[in-house]
Amino acid sequence: MRVAVTGASGFVGGHVCRAAAARGWEVLAFGRRPHADLGGVPYTSWDLVHGEPPGERVDAVIHCAGSVTDWGPPAEIWQANVAGTRNAVAAFPGARFVHVSTASVYDPFRPTVMATESEAPVRRYANAYGAAKAGAEHAVRGDAVILRPHAIYGSGDTTLLPRLLRSVRAGRLLAVGSGATRLSLTSVDNLVRACLLATTGPPGVYNVTDSEPVTLDSALRAVLRERDIDAEPVYLAQGLAMRMAALAETAAVITGRPPRLTRYAVGHLAVERTLDITRARRDLGYAPTPTAFEGAASW
């Protein structure tokens, strides 16, 4: 297998590169950063939006590149996620295309309860990120494999775990909603497993999560234990959290600094966000492991 990986200098893309190389595949890594250490995998800096395509022939492309921010200039988010995806498809004609999407394409204004793939995309989104990722899915539908993970975590995580740790104050971990809220999480190892399976699996859309949902409280306490942090989760009511997030977003517009809390983030923690992975199990042979945070002390 000769495979190209975009977003290789990022969290998910780096893991995909190393795993594919460990299988003995020939891996060509591409990312926006000037350099990346991928354990011997050849790396090329490539701006997907403005740069010239690499002109390589590959069997498959695993497209991990894109903007993952829930706050930022909408035009830039759309360029990175939609134009960048279209350019990645065009750069490797004839190759199997595996697109790493997100569960944020599901309806953000109501709970997601063991959602099946047909329940998204929807007509409205809370921010440019969800809308742009839905647009990217539309751009590749047909012969591509689209994977929808939710809340990716693991070694090298630059988004979820850092945001969680920033919420610890004076022995309290501030969270929203209820500790009983059910969530589907996706370890980066499970996502990588799905990406590699997808290079030879049937085209279509697949939810990709850990084997079973967990409660928010159990996940938070497990991370705190592994990080040896003496803190207790404290939950803010959804309505209060939404008002706080709205104020933070208003302040961010004035100051130009990203808000510590967004309404998008509240919407993904305060109500159930669980996904049905039956299709991935059946059609891709996906066999995920349970949610686990062993080793989180070194992430």
Side-chain angles (χ1 to χ4, degrees):
M1 178 73 73
R2 191 169 198 252
V3 61
V5 179
T6 68
S9 57
F11 170 41
V12 174
H15 277 273
V16 170
C17 285
R18 296 182 187 94
R23 284 197 176 189
W25 294 4
E26 182 181 358
V27 182
L28 306 179
F30 302 95
R32 60 182 174 82
R33 295 186 177 92
H35 307 285
D37 181 6
L38 298 170
V41 173
Y43 176 81
T44 301
S45 180
W46 175 31
D47 183 337
L48 268 172
V49 177
H50 303 293
E52 289 296 319
E56 297 281 357
R57 303 292 297 183
V58 297
D59 300 306
V61 180
I62 303 176
H63 181 51
C64 305
S67 172
V68 295
T69 182
D70 63 348
W71 184 263
E76 293 181 11
I77 294 171
W78 273 86
Q79 269 204 324
N81 289 327
V82 181
T85 298
R86 288 192 178 116
N87 291 344
V89 172
F92 302 99
R96 162 59 59 85
F97 198 84
V98 179
H99 174 60
V100 179
S101 185
T102 172
S104 292
V105 298
Y106 290 99
D107 192 338
F109 300 104
R110 63 180 182 87
T112 308
V113 181
M114 297 306 289
T116 59
E117 290 81 357
S118 62
E119 294 179 42
V122 294
R123 293 179 178 272
R124 56 181 187 159
Y125 288 97
N127 60 6
Y129 174 67
K133 293 298 282 188
E137 284 195 9
H138 180 74
V140 302
R141 279 184 182 270
D143 293 331
V145 176
I146 297 171
L147 305 178
R148 292 177 180 163
H150 181 249
I152 306 165
Y153 67 93
S155 175
D157 173 17
T158 59
T159 303
L160 195 63
L161 183 60
R163 178 175 286 185
L164 172 67
L165 297 179
R166 287 196 298 269
S167 299
V168 176
R169 291 286 186 278
R172 294 182 175 183
L173 169 58
L174 294 180
V176 299
S178 162
T181 302
R182 281 166 36 95
L183 301 173
S184 289
L185 306 181
T186 309
S187 77
V188 69
D189 293 333
N190 278 332
L191 178 54
V192 166
R193 185 175 293 112
C195 286
L196 301 189
L197 288 168
T199 59
T200 55
V205 183
Y206 302 93
N207 292 330
V208 175
T209 70
D210 297 344
S211 59
E212 299 290 342
V214 296
T215 64
L216 175 59
D217 192 69
S218 66
L220 294 180
R221 291 180 185 277
V223 172
L224 292 173
R225 283 195 303 271
E226 283 295 318
R227 300 283 299 196
D228 197 24
I229 297 173
D230 185 14
E232 184 75 11
V234 176
Y235 296 95
L236 302 177
Q238 182 180 1
L240 174 60
M242 278 293 186
R243 291 192 292 274
M244 292 173 62
L247 289 173
E249 290 176 4
T250 300
V253 171
I254 296 171
T255 64
R257 294 192 295 269
R260 294 181 62 86
L261 182 66
T262 65
R263 284 171 288 182
Y264 167 89
V266 172
H268 272 264
L269 291 174
V271 299
E272 180 165 341
R273 301 292 176 192
T274 56
L275 304 179
D276 185 322
I277 58 172
T278 300
R279 180 179 292 180
R281 290 181 186 271
R282 182 191 66 216
D283 296 350
L284 296 180
Y286 177 59
T289 57
T291 296
F293 300 99
E294 285 83 358
S298 62
W299 293 355

